[in-house]
């Protein structure tokens, strides 16, 4: 299973790269992901937009981790919560995050939330509270996206 997971991850990263996105693969920067995170932070500081799954690489689903808020604190980037839904999809139920792949000719909704700004001097309490705010926003946006495209 570990080899299959690595294969899937590399496949997704390659797909994003082919779509024109600059991909930072933390696993390419040595034994730890620290150098990958530093590279990711450098890209953000250079003005590149970035996207991450806020519920982390291992879940649980719909529970934000503090990483996105911490990165925003360190880089000065603004967090823009986004959720999506489509009418026709293949759902990967075997994955913890229920990843979905849109099918051809499906209709979709992409819903954006209010930006979240993280002060450079944010303490652990504020980081925790902003993470909860991010989680709440994403869960609400997911609900809105589903209501826009899926029948009741």
């Amino acid at each position: 299973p570990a080899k299959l997971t690595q294969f899937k991850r590399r496949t997704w990263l390659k797909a994003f790269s082919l779509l024109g996105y600059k991909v930072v693969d933390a696993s390419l920067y040595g034994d730890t992901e620290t150098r990958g995170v530093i590279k990711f932070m450098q890209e953000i500081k250079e003005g590149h937009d970035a996207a991450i799954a806020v519920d982390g690489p291992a879940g649980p689903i719909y529970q934000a981790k503090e990483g996105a808020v911490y990165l925003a604190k360190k880089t000065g980037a603004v967090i823009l919560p986004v959720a999506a839904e489509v009418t026709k999809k293949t759902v990967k139920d075997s994955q913890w995050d229920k990843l979905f792949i849109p099918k051809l000719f499906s209709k979709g909704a992409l819903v954006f939330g209010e930006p979240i700004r993280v002060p450079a001097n944010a303490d652990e309490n504020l980081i925790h509270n902003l993470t909860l705010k991010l989680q709440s926003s994403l869960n609400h946006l997911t609900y809105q996206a589903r209501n826009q495209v899926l029948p009741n």
Side-chain angles (χ1 to χ4, degrees):
K3 283 189 178 187
L4 183 58
T5 300
Q6 288 295 328
F7 174 76
K8 286 182 190 177
R9 186 181 58 71
R10 284 194 301 271
T11 301
W12 279 108
L13 293 177
K14 181 66 174 174
F16 285 123
S17 180
L18 291 172
L19 289 170
Y21 294 96
K22 184 170 186 175
V23 175
V24 176
D25 184 355
S27 69
L28 297 178
Y29 293 92
D31 295 336
T32 69
E33 294 183 352
T34 303
R35 283 183 268 187
V37 172
I38 291 170
K39 176 66 175 160
F40 191 65
M41 289 172 60
Q42 288 171 341
E43 295 292 331
I44 294 169
K45 286 180 179 179
E46 289 174 8
H48 296 276
D49 294 330
I52 62 172
V54 299
D55 45 10
I61 192 169
Y62 305 128
Q63 292 185 14
K65 306 294 184 294
E66 293 181 348
V69 176
Y70 179 79
L71 282 171
K73 172 186 173 175
K74 292 295 186 184
T75 62
V78 175
I79 299 171
L80 182 63
V82 180
E85 186 58 84
V86 294
T87 55
K88 301 175 191 170
K89 60 191 170 193
T90 299
V91 178
K92 299 296 184 180
D93 285 323
S94 61
Q95 292 187 210
W96 67 266
D97 62 356
K98 307 293 186 235
L99 171 76
F100 70 79
I101 301 168
K103 291 184 177 181
L104 289 176
F105 310 112
S106 68
K107 295 180 181 177
L110 193 59
V111 184
F112 297 87
E114 292 294 320
I116 298 173
R117 289 173 173 75
V118 183
N121 63 349
D123 62 13
E124 291 300 315
N125 189 48
L126 182 55
I127 289 173
H128 176 75
N129 289 334
L130 290 174
T131 300
L132 292 176
K133 178 180 180 179
L134 174 60
Q135 177 177 306
S136 176
S137 175
L138 287 169
N139 290 340
H140 179 70
L141 294 170
T142 299
Y143 176 79
Q144 285 182 317
R146 286 181 180 152
N147 282 341
Q148 287 186 23
V149 298
L150 298 178
N152 293 333

